[in-house]
Amino acid sequence: MNLQQYFDKYKDRDLLIDNEKSYSYGECCTFVKKALIFLKNNGLKKNYKILISAKNSILLAKFYFTFLAYENEIFIVGENLTPVAKKAIFKKNKFDMALIDHKSTMSNLKRYCKKIIYLNSEQIEEDIKKINDFENIDKRLNLKKNILNIYTSGTTSEPKIVSHSLYNLINNCKEFSKLLGINRNNRFINFLPMNYLGGYYNLLLIPFFNGSSVYIDEVFSYKSIIKLNNIISRFKINTLWLTPTICKILIDKYSLVSERNIIKRNIRLGIIGMDQVSTDLKLKFKEKFNIRLLENYGLSETLFISSEKKTDKIPSSGRPLKSVQIEINQDNKELLITSPYISKNFSKKKFTTGDQADFKKFLKINGRLKDVIIRGGININPSDIERVLSKFDGISEISIFGEKDEIFNTEKIIAAIVSKKNFNEKKFWNFANNNLAPNQVPQDYFLLENLPKTFSGKVKKNLLKDLSKEEDLIDNDKTHKTEKKITFSKNVEFIKPPISVAINDKVYDLKKKNKKITTLSLGEAFFNIPYYEFNNLDYPDVYHYSHSRGIFELRLLLSNYFKEYYGIKFSPDSQIMITAGSKIAVYMTLKSLVNKNDEVLIPEPAWVSYSEQVKLTGAKPIGIPMKEKVNRWQKYITNKTRVIIINNPNNPTGKIYNLKELSSIYELAKINNCYILSDEAYSEFCPDSDNFISIGNLDTRLERSILVNSISKNYGISGWRIGYTISNYKIINRLVKLNQHLITCAPTILTHYIAKYFYKIINKTRPQIKNLIELRKRLEKYMDKNGLKYLKGKATFYFFINIQDSKYKSKKFCETLLQKYKISTVPGVGYGKSCNNYIRLSFGSESEYKIKKALLKIKEIINDRG
């Protein structure tokens, strides 16, 4: 057998396709013949060992065929191997040549490899095109020679290697393709990594040996969803080879009929494998796309063992290939196979797969033997539990594993869950108890954003077990008598948790237990903000660090915005820095301006974090009682005063400082040679822009003023944590230095998003802010009508309500309100010592009806003197 025959047989048909062009079998054959000359010129010899580690590309595919033609032994190293594992591979093999792309993380490779070729596609293609000679590939290949080595996994030492001969690859392919009916008419899309068996063998060599065509794509990700339909339509893809993970994503993400119809109309063969496949998943795919997925089973060590055929009626992992014999160990139900295609590293006799299975005419894989949970002496298969619980509406993905139960000397069943927005703990436990046998119900669960998986989509249960242990960590103060007790920094020891955050954490816990809470404690407004596309952002910039000052586009927008709305002009180059929220901006400003034992003036009521952040710097917070007018602040200033913090508009009262007050504060700072830190995080939440005056309107050169503001707060995206600081270049330069050490830069992707949709977001939020201010006026009238007292203000979505006629101080009052009526508010004492007769109420996240109902309950507790 020689490769020339394959290239000649299908020479005019497409072999490789990408967005740029298609390459026929004949064109690829020409490349191979010239590439061999190119490689020989670079030192390639017949028995060289070749290391390959590169991302999916047409060029990589062509070089795979080139080494196949020359019978070189290739060693494919996956990108997810640790540097330690890679170094162990390099050291042991001492490769003669390596093909890697520029983005590969191949540290230390030069020490262990004679020649490295970087796959710079344009340059290499150009160099190979110029070659006029052709290497002869019309010669019989040695089928028994080992030509493929793939490293399948590894952590701290050399990972496991799987080796296959050309005989294994070609003949396993023939048997497998015959079962499924794969031929020259199939057009595949290869979106599996080509440095693993799925991308190299399943979706490159199998199409090649059958005369099929294959579109070479990037490794599958959520980004692939956006372009998949276009690729299928444009390049007439008719065969999809899916992993269970990819299958699930397609089911979840293809919600529109038009999207589903593209797959329905074009795909003629659907294949699924590379991990355990549930019957439910295949049925869901059939229901959504009207395509039956044919399941296959195989291992890296064995290649394909079985596959379903189109004519099979019973859902299974298929019937075995003719050359493969199957046996089931009756003691533990483990699948044993005898096959001519087993990797040369393993015995050719019975191969123990490590999978539990049933077999009559068809093979049915039940799960990994090592994953079986033994509880009360009974073997429990995690896949049985996963199959049931995955039907619960609030679960996106689930993985079940066992964990040692030290108390009862058995195994606990733990569920790792990727939840949907509608996940409800109480309903989850009800569902589990009603649908599982008593010994199958998990003892605990924890939530994750994503399940850790291999490239082929297998869940890494060993990592889940580690995560579960972290969840179970117990704070234990007991120490051995001979051991020195661990101590902590006194700087943090005396810091109080922010009372508003502590209250809201309690609210989250109550909601988790299915309690209905009227939430009037949250420091944010819930706006209806449309979802704008992330795909239009500057890829790949959004994945990487940006300038420590923040991306210039956003700084320029803010500069123009301040000039347009507030009449303040400042330089986007030197006078602004984007931060990860305004909270860190306040802290970095204080850290830049004050020293140990300095004093910082904080007029009350003051936002809960000011005083604690001052303490963290080693300085002393000096609270100015709320009764004191601005013209009386002078008496609180000493020769240690370095900063005056103002919150304008104020959280929690809604007060806006007027021009006279700001002028007095500015003069006070000048006379006493101190700075003004003006936190203007609620500047948008005013009746109109004329009501708000920034300190920058007075200190136009920003000589002693630092403006801190919040994009995430003002635009209703508080979870994004994007803020900014404006001041003179000397202060900004100091802040940049701190920013570089603390966070490097604000989240790049989010700053790009805000820069792109800046005015769109403003245009959506401004009308909603106006509605919120109108609601404020209506609620003021309602409180006046019902005899509730509060501090006057015009801005924000807060009220500071007076409870001095109650028998409670603020903490007890809020606790009673939460326990008795399930209404959450924030104790006024968190805003200063002089504020213990007040509570803060936020009206940004609940309906007007609920807020008014809550106000009546507040009045009820105030009047309750019993």
Side-chain angles (χ1 to χ4, degrees), residues 462-490:
N462 59 322
L463 292 185
L464 289 179
K465 290 179 181 182
D466 291 341
L467 285 170
S468 177
K469 288 171 187 173
E470 289 178 18
E471 291 282 324
D472 291 338
L473 285 178
I474 298 171
D475 184 13
N476 191 349
D477 265 341
K478 295 178 182 178
T479 54
H480 195 276
K481 288 181 182 179
T482 60
E483 292 176 348
K484 186 177 179 180
K485 189 170 182 177
I486 296 171
T487 59
F488 300 98
S489 164
K490 290 181 180 177

Side-chain angles (χ1 to χ4, degrees), residues 70 121 177 240 291 329 349 363 377 444 462 537 567 673 811 828:
Y70 202 53
S121 57
S177 301
L240 282 183
I291 296 168
N329 183 323
K349 296 177 183 178
L363 182 65
D444 202 356
N462 59 322
L537 304 183
N673 194 29
K811 274 190 180 179

Side-chain angles (χ1 to χ4, degrees), residues 267-500:
I267 302 305
R268 295 290 169 263
L269 175 62
I271 313 170
I272 188 167
M274 289 166 271
D275 194 9
Q276 187 179 350
V277 184
S278 73
T279 302
D280 286 343
L281 187 65
K282 292 193 287 186
L283 290 174
K284 283 180 183 177
F285 193 87
K286 177 77 163 62
E287 184 182 329
K288 194 150 198 174
F289 299 103
N290 196 31
I291 296 168
R292 180 190 170 193
L293 292 178
L294 300 180
E295 183 181 339
N296 58 71
Y297 171 72
L299 301 169
S300 300
E301 299 90 341
T302 64
L303 301 179
F304 288 107
I305 292 170
S306 68
S307 180
E308 288 184 289
K309 294 174 64 173
K310 287 183 179 179
T311 54
D312 293 338
K313 303 297 183 186
I314 302 169
S316 69
S317 302
R319 59 182 76 203
L321 274 60
K322 282 190 177 180
S323 300
V324 175
Q325 280 119 36
I326 283 178
E327 186 180 327
I328 304 294
N329 183 323
Q330 293 308 309
D331 293 331
N332 60 6
K333 305 293 283 184
E334 182 176 14
L335 171 63
L336 312 173
I337 69 157
T338 305
S339 168
Y341 310 127
I342 296 171
S343 166
K344 73 167 192 176
N345 311 74
F346 302 90
S347 168
K348 292 289 182 183
K349 296 177 183 178
K350 288 177 186 173
F351 180 81
T352 55
T353 64
D355 287 321
Q356 283 193 319
D358 293 311
F359 176 66
K360 289 181 182 176
K361 184 179 179 181
F362 300 100
L363 182 65
K364 183 72 179 74
I365 303 297
N366 298 320
R368 296 293 291 166
L369 189 65
K370 67 180 181 180
D371 293 334
V372 168
I373 301 167
I374 302 173
R375 184 161 178 81
I378 297 173
N379 287 2
I380 297 169
N381 198 319
S383 61
D384 294 336
I385 304 173
E386 291 165 355
R387 188 165 52 250
V388 172
L389 293 183
S390 63
K391 294 177 182 177
F392 179 65
D393 188 41
I395 289 178
S396 175
E397 286 188 282
I398 186 168
S399 182
I400 299 293
F401 60 93
E403 189 178 86
K404 184 71 174 175
D405 187 334
E406 301 293 346
I407 298 174
F408 297 103
N409 197 29
T410 184
E411 280 191 289
K412 294 187 289 186
I413 302 172
I414 310 294
I417 294 172
V418 177
S419 64
K420 297 178 183 176
K421 287 183 180 178
N422 63 336
F423 180 82
N424 180 288
E425 185 178 29
K426 185 177 179 181
K427 289 181 180 178
F428 167 72
W429 288 123
N430 287 342
F431 184 90
N433 284 310
N434 291 334
N435 291 278
L436 291 168
N439 66 344
Q440 291 179 317
V441 176
Q443 278 68 59
D444 202 356
Y445 77 90
F446 60 95
L447 301 178
L448 291 171
E449 291 292 326
N450 295 289
L451 294 177
K453 295 176 182 177
T454 65
F455 269 119
S456 62
K458 294 179 182 178
V459 176
K460 297 180 178 179
K461 297 205 176 191
N462 59 322
L463 292 185
L464 289 179
K465 290 179 181 182
D466 291 341
L467 285 170
S468 177
K469 288 171 187 173
E470 289 178 18
E471 291 282 324
D472 291 338
L473 285 178
I474 298 171
D475 184 13
N476 191 349
D477 265 341
K478 295 178 182 178
T479 54
H480 195 276
K481 288 181 182 179
T482 60
E483 292 176 348
K484 186 177 179 180
K485 189 170 182 177
I486 296 171
T487 59
F488 300 98
S489 164
K490 290 181 180 177
N491 290 336
V492 178
E493 199 76 16
F494 299 110
I495 298 301
K496 299 173 188 174
I499 198 164
S500 56

Side-chain angles (χ1 to χ4, degrees), residues 509-566:
D509 288 339
L510 288 169
K511 285 183 175 180
K512 186 180 176 184
K513 294 174 183 174
N514 214 24
K515 304 290 184 184
K516 292 182 179 179
I517 309 295
T518 301
T519 309
L520 306 179
S521 53
L522 275 179
E524 59 178 319
F526 284 13
F527 290 151
N528 178 22
I529 303 173
Y531 173 83
Y532 299 111
E533 284 293 335
F534 276 82
N535 304 315
N536 299 326
L537 304 183
D538 293 337
Y539 175 83
D541 292 355
V542 294
Y543 285 110
H544 304 291
Y545 291 131
S546 63
H547 198 292
S548 292
R549 293 175 185 271
I551 62 170
F552 181 77
E553 296 88 338
L554 185 53
R555 285 184 275 145
L556 182 62
L557 279 166
L558 289 168
S559 176
N560 293 334
Y561 178 75
F562 263 75
K563 184 178 177 182
E564 181 182 354
Y565 286 97
Y566 303 125

Side-chain angles (χ1 to χ4, degrees), residues 662-826:
L662 286 175
S663 298
S664 297
I665 295 167
Y666 181 49
E667 287 302 315
L668 197 64
K670 280 206 299 186
I671 292 167
N672 294 281
N673 194 29
C674 54
Y675 292 98
I676 300 167
L677 195 170
S678 183
D679 181 354
E680 300 175 357
Y682 297 92
S683 57
E684 292 283 338
F685 291 91
C686 298
D688 56 64
S689 58
D690 293 337
N691 287 105
F692 174 72
I693 303 167
S694 170
I695 196 66
N697 292 110
L698 283 75
D699 186 6
T700 54
R701 296 174 65 182
L702 301 171
E703 289 178 322
R704 59 181 68 257
S705 301
I706 303 92
L707 282 63
V708 171
N709 211 316
S710 170
I711 289 174
S712 50
K713 182 77 75 174
N714 271 321
Y715 302 155
I717 46 178
S718 55
W720 287 29
R721 316 307 305 132
I722 304 292
Y724 57 95
T725 309
I726 303 166
S727 190
N728 63 66
Y729 76 94
K730 289 181 180 179
I731 289 177
I732 291 297
N733 285 346
R734 292 171 70 85
L735 293 177
V736 168
K737 201 188 304 182
L738 272 175
N739 200 44
Q740 289 167 339
H741 284 295
L742 291 176
I743 59 168
T744 304
C745 61
T748 308
I749 189 169
L750 302 184
T751 52
H752 273 276
Y753 182 97
I754 292 165
K756 188 167 188 69
Y757 302 113
F758 187 78
Y759 284 104
K760 281 189 176 182
I761 295 172
I762 289 174
N763 291 335
K764 287 292 182 183
T765 55
R766 278 234 165 112
Q768 295 177 78
I769 288 173
K770 187 178 178 182
N771 292 338
L772 208 57
I773 297 301
E774 291 300 318
L775 173 59
R776 181 184 188 92
K777 292 174 183 176
R778 293 197 299 274
L779 292 174
E780 283 177 346
K781 289 179 181 178
Y782 189 77
M783 287 192 288
D784 293 341
K785 179 183 173 183
N786 287 281
L788 282 167
K789 301 172 188 175
Y790 54 94
L791 291 185
K792 298 297 180 182
K794 292 183 178 180
T796 75
F797 39 84
Y798 303 119
F799 287 115
F800 212 40
I801 298 174
N802 191 320
I803 58 162
Q804 66 180 4
D805 294 335
S806 162
K807 64 182 178 182
Y808 301 123
K809 292 299 181 183
S810 61
K811 274 190 180 179
K812 184 65 176 175
F813 189 98
C814 291
E815 185 182 334
T816 304
L817 190 62
L818 184 58
Q819 288 182 351
K820 191 172 182 180
Y821 296 117
K822 301 296 181 286
I823 298 167
S824 67
T825 52
V826 183

